[in-house]
Amino acid sequence: MKKLLVVALLVAGFALQADAVRAESVTTISTFAGDSAIVLDASGNPVIAYRDAFTTRLEILHCNDPICAPGGDTVNSPDLQPGQWPSILLDASGNPVVSYYTTVFDRLKLLHCNDPNCASGGDTLAMPDPGSFLLESQTSLALDASGNPVIAYAPPYEIRVLHCNDPLCTGNDETITSNDSSAAGPSLALDPSGRPVVAYFKGSGGVFSTGSLRVMHCDDVNCAPGGDTITAPEPGPGIMPSVRLDASGMPVLAYYTGTSTRDLRVMHCNDVNCSGTNESISTPDAVGDVGGDPALVLDGGLPVVTYRDETNGDLKLLRCNDVNCGPGGDTRTSLDTAADSGKRSSLLIDGAGNPAITFDAGTDLHLIRCDTPACASAVGGIARLPGVPPPASGSASFPLFVFAALALAALTSIAFVRRRRA
């Protein structure tokens, strides 16, 4: 009987260990967080700005490995006030620069850390536009050739561009311009001359359920009034656009068509201003309600987009096989099919050409590092950001009560065998 008991327990234990082995390739550390932005340090390790749902503070996570596996990562809160909607870059020294929205004063803020982990306590916090409040508005950050921040943001309801005259945005003497009204959701890129290109959604008559996509190309580095080009290359709605510039300085945009058709669209302009209503516009995904919260990067000129599949609650990745995302040959992958996943994604391509993505998944914040450019094979790592300590090995996928049930079943079987022998 003892031998049978040992065998039964070993079988149960093997089932537990086998599940644990399968689960070890996926790190799932439970937490409550969201509103993330990602950048990679010189070693390819993620630096992520996000909002902690418990403290409401802006957190800066610097991972010590590519998939942010538990242990050794640094998490700091440089600003004691609440912060959300971050946009993050690294300066020439590898120190984080973050624009974000603070809910205490409803103002735009800029954090410039003086070390890669934002840990020294000497970081600079600036409120460069103290006279204008925001309302849950996303920010979009770029650094000019001198390392000075350029930020696009949207006080209700207009598009503003702020160009700092120093890397810290201190002194309350930055250049701030208001460029369009009844507008929201800006995304910013700088052309080869350092002039801002801003994509955004303009409401119709102040109503944001209707309207159209706008592209603004400033004629100077400060977007001073007068001379800027504003075009409407998409006749229908273009909500939450994400903009990048190709090697020739032509804008490429990914956006969501909203309630009109609820599709993901990609536009590749054939001039630097997206003028002439003859741009290349494709609809690479139109199955269900898809395309929300898109994030766009260019990989060798080819668009790569993460976005929300609202119908299925998934995160999806699109990798186009031509610069215009023309029909046929594109790869679409559902990366995270957990319930209510894929909101507010942030996307980068690492040195191997593989995506690194952060996104909201329910109440948690996830990181995915793919091991192929199209994320078509096994995902290299999935990690929820640090918060609650990880469960014991294997317990998440094979709970203790199941192990106990297996052991009880084994004992019951042994008792039955003994009765049969009797």
Side-chain angles (χ1 to χ4, degrees):
M1 185 187 74
K2 290 182 179 179
K3 289 182 179 179
L4 288 173
L5 176 60
V6 170
V7 170
L9 291 176
L10 284 175
V11 169
F14 176 77
L16 172 61
Q17 290 179 359
D19 234 32
V21 169
R22 289 196 296 270
E24 283 173 358
S25 64
V26 179
T27 305
T28 55
I29 305 173
S30 180
T31 188
F32 292 88
D35 296 343
S36 64
I38 183 173
V39 68
L40 301 180
D41 67 14
S43 300
N45 298 333
V47 184
I48 302 169
Y50 65 97
R51 178 183 59 86
D52 183 279
F54 287 124
T55 65
T56 70
R57 292 178 184 171
L58 179 75
E59 304 279 359
I60 307 297
L61 165 71
H62 194 170
C63 300
N64 67 348
D65 64 86
I67 64 170
C68 298
D73 303 326
T74 62
V75 183
N76 289 294
S77 304
D79 191 350
L80 298 181
Q81 297 175 354
Q84 63 186 90
W85 299 100
S87 181
I88 186 171
L89 293 171
L90 301 182
D91 67 14
S93 300
N95 301 333
V97 183
V98 188
S99 64
Y100 57 101
Y101 154 71
T102 179
T103 56
V104 172
F105 303 106
D106 294 329
R107 297 295 193 271
L108 172 72
K109 295 192 78 171
L110 183 93
L111 163 70
H112 198 152
C113 300
N114 66 353
D115 68 88
N117 298 326
C118 301
S120 66
D123 307 315
T124 301
L125 291 168
M127 193 180 296
D129 188 0
S132 179
F133 74 93
L134 282 70
L135 183 61
E136 296 186 358
S137 179
Q138 69 191 60
T139 65
S140 187
L141 170 70
L143 299 179
D144 68 14
S146 300
N148 299 335
V150 184
I151 308 169
Y153 55 108
Y157 292 97
E158 63 183 21
I159 295 299
R160 287 196 179 185
V161 175
L162 178 145
H163 192 174
C164 300
N165 58 15
D166 64 273
L168 305 179
C169 285
T170 56
N172 292 325
D173 55 352
E174 321 307 329
T175 300
I176 302 172
T177 57
S178 297
N179 303 89
D180 203 349
S181 60
S182 298
S187 177
L188 168 72
L190 299 182
D191 73 10
S193 299
R195 297 173 299 187
V197 177
V198 185
Y200 57 94
F201 175 72
K202 183 176 178 65
S204 177
V207 178
F208 282 84
S209 59
T210 60
S212 59
L213 178 72
R214 291 289 191 271
V215 177
M216 176 176 69
H217 194 170
C218 300
D219 67 341
D220 65 88
V221 297
N222 294 324
C223 283
D228 302 329
T229 301
I230 299 179
T231 59
E234 164 64 74
I239 302 173
M240 299 175 287
S242 179
V243 64
R244 295 290 184 269
L245 304 183
D246 68 14
S248 300
M250 310 297 181
V252 182
L253 300 90
Y255 53 97
Y256 174 56
T257 59
T259 56
S260 60
T261 57
R262 302 184 187 276
D263 299 333
L264 172 71
R265 289 191 181 172
V266 174
M267 175 188 297
H268 192 173
C269 298
N270 59 11
D271 64 90
V272 295
N273 296 324
C274 298
S275 58
T277 65
N278 57 350
E279 320 307 326
S280 170
I281 300 176
S282 63
T283 306
D285 197 347
V287 180
D289 185 348
V290 293
D293 293 339
L296 166 73
V297 296
L298 299 179
D299 185 15
L302 302 180
V304 183
V305 187
T306 52
Y307 56 99
R308 159 92 165 168
D309 181 337
E310 187 69 30
T311 299
N312 298 300
D314 298 344
L315 171 74
K316 297 184 77 173
L317 177 99
L318 165 73
R319 180 174 279 272
C320 300
N321 71 342
D322 66 85
V323 296
N324 295 325
C325 279
D330 301 329
T331 302
R332 293 190 302 273
T333 309
S334 294
L335 295 182
D336 191 334
T337 58
D340 196 27
S341 186
K343 295 179 180 178
R344 297 175 184 172
S345 59
S346 179
L347 168 68
L348 286 177
I349 301 298
D350 65 20
N354 302 330
I357 312 157
T358 59
F359 58 99
D360 290 6
T363 59
D364 296 338
L365 181 60
H366 286 194
L367 163 71
I368 288 182
R369 296 298 299 268
C370 298
D371 60 3
T372 62
C375 299
S377 62
V379 172
I382 302 177
R384 296 180 186 176
L385 298 185
V388 179
S393 177
S395 62
S397 58
F398 204 92
L400 183 60
F401 75 85
V402 179
F403 177 80
L406 285 173
L408 180 60
L411 291 174
T412 302
S413 298
I414 292 168
F416 177 77
V417 170
R418 291 188 63 189
R419 286 198 300 272
R420 287 289 301 271
R421 287 181 176 176

